[in-house]
Amino acid sequence: MTDAGSGQGSPAGATKYKGKAIALAVAAAVGGFLFGFDSSVINGAVDAVEGTFELSGVVTGFVVAVALLGSALGAWLGGRLSDRWGRTRVMVLGAVLFFVSSVLSAFAFSAWDLAIWRVVAGVGIGIASVIAPAYIAEIAPASLRGRLGSLQQLAITLGIFAALLSDQLLATAAGGASQELWFGLAAWRWMFLVCVVPAAVYGILALRIPESPRYLVAQGHREEAKAVLTDVLGADEDPEERVAQIETTIRTDRELANQASLRGPVLGLLPVVWVGILLSVFQQFVGINVIFYYSTTLWQAVGFEESQSFLISTITAVTNVLVTFIAIGLIDKVGRRPLLLIGSAGMTVALGTMAFAFTKATGTGDAISLEGSWGVIALVAANAFVVFFGATWGPLVWVLLGEMFPNRIRAAALGVAASAQWVANFLITLSFPEMLDRFGASIPYAMYATFALISFFFVLTKVPETKGVQLEDMEGLKVQRRGRAAAT
């Protein structure tokens, strides 16, 4: 029987425990804010960096994209280090890397040392991308796991918005991104430097939040794990039973240590690992980060002024933030698969519209423009794309990666899938400037639309529903065409 004095059985008690779970999830998701901020802050600096260091389109694309290779490394390392050091210590490491790289990027003296410090930032981004969803999944009640997992994407979108807004404010204050602002530093250098603030906040929060219950149990700290779960589960679940479940799965994992490998019959990997990898790849191959890394350059290329392009990019980032609340509200009610299918269909139409609109562009090089209403159509389609992505594929992929893998391989599999995501992001980011120069915007957006269409059929046939399934029960989930997951 529930102790009436504990507050667990009352609405106020339930709210208190949910509040604690949300608070811990928000603290962990600050890594997502840094992820979004640091990966998008380059948007407003691209043209200024290209001009300052007199770079070609290929080298510019490399400087922007090279951070993503660091992210792939960070994601791969983060999953492994978190099992050895714990989730919170690895968060601190990510914060330190963010802080150091922000300062050194701001004082870069050439494209190549800027690229090096962007790689360091990328390692921090990769670590944050793996640790936050894993930590949130491990501390969240099953009934809230989808919504709390979506906080990672909300934090990413807020980071993107904050980066684009700060870019706009700094560029406006200086009269242009390449113009001198304060203490003899150009505005684009300040764009990198301001990242030290959220990096410091993330590090401080990581030092204050409790360790993951699963890691604590694995290290033999049973009572500490139970205390953490008691704080966040309330009446929803029995902390003692949850600890016992974790102990059982850890014991089973150790007995099957030789099976804790990702190796399997499908091209050398387990089928579920391939599902995670392909979810990650499709999330990037639809071209979402072209919008957030190059949107200012893109809109200038079709005739908008620099100030207008900054404003458009900021509005797009706001849209991305707002639609994430759609996912947060629906993910634990509607489920993961239906939302992904809707997102794939909507992105296909929006990207196809963008591709068609850009076939109407006139001029070449810097003189390209969209005549008549085609500029508005392209702008509306771009924001529709952001709406469908931000409400579905953006948050849901991170939720699925945090929960879909069996316990014995979760950290390693999440690291591999996240690494694949960063490599895919790198390929798209690196290729876009050259494709834009050679073919205009129509061809790349037609390619992204094609990947969005393929992603629909991939989800329909390969992705299981995980709504309401306990983390301890993820082994053997199968795809059901009506969207429900069956365990074998």
Side-chain angles (χ1 to χ4, degrees):
M1 179 179 293
T2 302
D3 181 359
S6 69
Q8 288 188 24
S10 68
T15 301
K16 177 182 74 172
Y17 287 104
K18 288 180 179 179
K20 289 182 179 179
I22 292 169
L24 290 180
V26 168
V30 172
F33 181 92
L34 274 175
F35 167 176
F37 191 101
D38 202 85
S39 61
S40 292
V41 74
I42 191 72
N43 188 311
V46 170
D47 289 343
V49 168
E50 186 174 31
T52 299
F53 299 128
E54 300 180 350
L55 309 179
S56 66
V58 172
V59 177
T60 299
F62 180 79
V63 171
V64 173
V66 72
L68 305 174
L69 293 181
S71 298
L73 175 61
W76 183 80
L77 285 174
R80 285 153 178 77
L81 291 178
S82 68
D83 281 341
R84 295 183 182 181
W85 298 354
R87 282 35 167 171
T88 56
R89 289 178 183 173
V90 177
M91 289 181 193
V92 173
L93 172 62
V96 171
L97 292 174
F98 276 124
F99 191 98
V100 171
S101 66
S102 299
V103 174
L104 296 176
S105 293
F107 292 96
F109 56 83
S110 71
W112 299 111
D113 79 303
L114 176 59
I116 291 170
W117 308 133
R118 295 295 295 158
V119 169
V120 174
V123 174
I125 292 171
I127 287 173
S129 72
V130 169
I131 298 305
Y135 180 87
I136 292 170
E138 289 170 355
I139 60 98
S143 61
L144 291 177
R145 197 177 62 236
R147 276 170 282 179
L148 295 184
S150 297
L151 291 177
Q152 161 82 345
Q153 180 65 18
L154 177 62
I156 292 170
T157 63
L158 288 169
I160 292 170
F161 165 69
L164 295 177
L165 180 61
S166 69
D167 283 357
Q168 180 184 0
L169 293 175
L170 291 167
T172 300
S178 60
Q179 301 301 308
E180 186 177 312
L181 187 54
W182 300 306
F183 305 109
L185 295 179
W188 69 264
R189 295 183 183 274
W190 282 100
M191 293 175 187
F192 291 117
L193 196 56
V194 294
C195 194
V196 300
V197 176
V201 171
Y202 182 46
I204 292 169
L205 288 174
L207 289 169
R208 295 178 62 85
I209 63 176
E211 186 51 82
S212 156
R214 179 172 172 79
Y215 176 78
L216 290 172
V217 172
Q219 298 300 308
H221 304 303
R222 190 181 196 279
E223 292 305 313
E224 289 182 47
K226 185 178 175 182
V228 173
L229 290 169
T230 299
D231 274 345
V232 298
L233 296 181
D236 284 356
E237 301 173 39
D238 180 5
E240 178 64 37
E241 182 180 342
R242 180 80 170 264
V243 169
Q245 288 178 336
I246 294 172
E247 286 177 326
T248 299
T249 57
I250 289 174
R251 198 159 45 242
T252 302
D253 293 348
R254 287 172 177 168
E255 291 171 358
L256 302 174
N258 62 328
Q259 298 180 26
S261 169
L262 305 186
R263 294 181 180 179
V266 183
L267 298 176
L269 293 174
L270 294 170
V272 69
V273 178
W274 277 115
V275 172
I277 288 171
L278 290 172
L279 275 171
S280 292
V281 168
F282 280 123
Q283 190 200 49
Q284 296 305 313
F285 273 17
V286 297
I288 186 62
N289 282 312
V290 166
I291 296 290
F292 293 116
Y293 296 167
Y294 293 115
S295 59
T296 302
T297 300
L298 177 64
W299 298 123
Q300 285 182 253
V302 296
F304 290 96
E305 298 294 329
E306 183 184 52
S307 60
Q308 293 174 315
S309 297
F310 272 109
L311 179 60
I312 292 169
S313 297
T314 304
I315 292 171
T316 300
V318 172
T319 301
N320 195 30
V321 172
L322 295 178
V323 297
T324 304
F325 287 101
I326 297 174
I328 292 174
L330 296 179
I331 188 170
D332 287 321
K333 296 177 182 178
V334 175
R336 283 62 159 158
R337 272 169 50 89
L339 290 177
L340 287 175
L341 291 170
I342 292 169
S344 293
M347 290 189 300
T348 300
V349 173
L351 288 165
T353 302
M354 287 184 72
F356 184 76
F358 280 115
T359 64
K360 306 299 180 180
T362 59
T364 58
D366 294 335
I368 193 172
S369 64
L370 286 173
E371 301 293 339
S373 61
W374 287 110
V376 175
I377 291 172
L379 187 58
V380 170
N383 281 282
F385 166 52
V386 170
V387 167
F388 280 107
F389 180 90
T392 61
W393 276 79
L396 267 66
V397 168
W398 287 112
V399 171
L400 282 165
L401 293 182
E403 67 185 10
M404 67 184 287
F405 301 115
N407 277 328
R408 70 179 187 277
I409 63 168
R410 177 170 295 116
L414 204 164
V416 169
S419 294
Q421 183 174 135
W422 291 114
V423 171
N425 192 345
F426 171 78
L427 294 174
I428 292 295
T429 305
L430 181 64
S431 63
F432 181 75
E434 191 65 18
M435 292 181 73
L436 183 64
D437 288 345
R438 285 176 175 266
F439 309 115
S442 182
I443 295 299
Y445 280 108
M447 182 179 72
Y448 306 149
T450 302
F451 283 119
L453 179 61
I454 296 172
S455 74
F456 179 91
F457 294 101
F458 170 70
V459 172
L460 191 65
T461 58
K462 299 298 182 183
V463 178
E465 179 59 74
T466 56
K467 182 183 74 168
V469 181
Q470 289 284 0
L471 287 185
E472 314 306 320
D473 299 326
M474 288 295 173
E475 185 84 55
L477 288 184
K478 299 292 184 183
V479 176
Q480 301 293 303
R481 290 301 178 90
R482 292 188 178 182
R484 301 174 69 89
T488 58

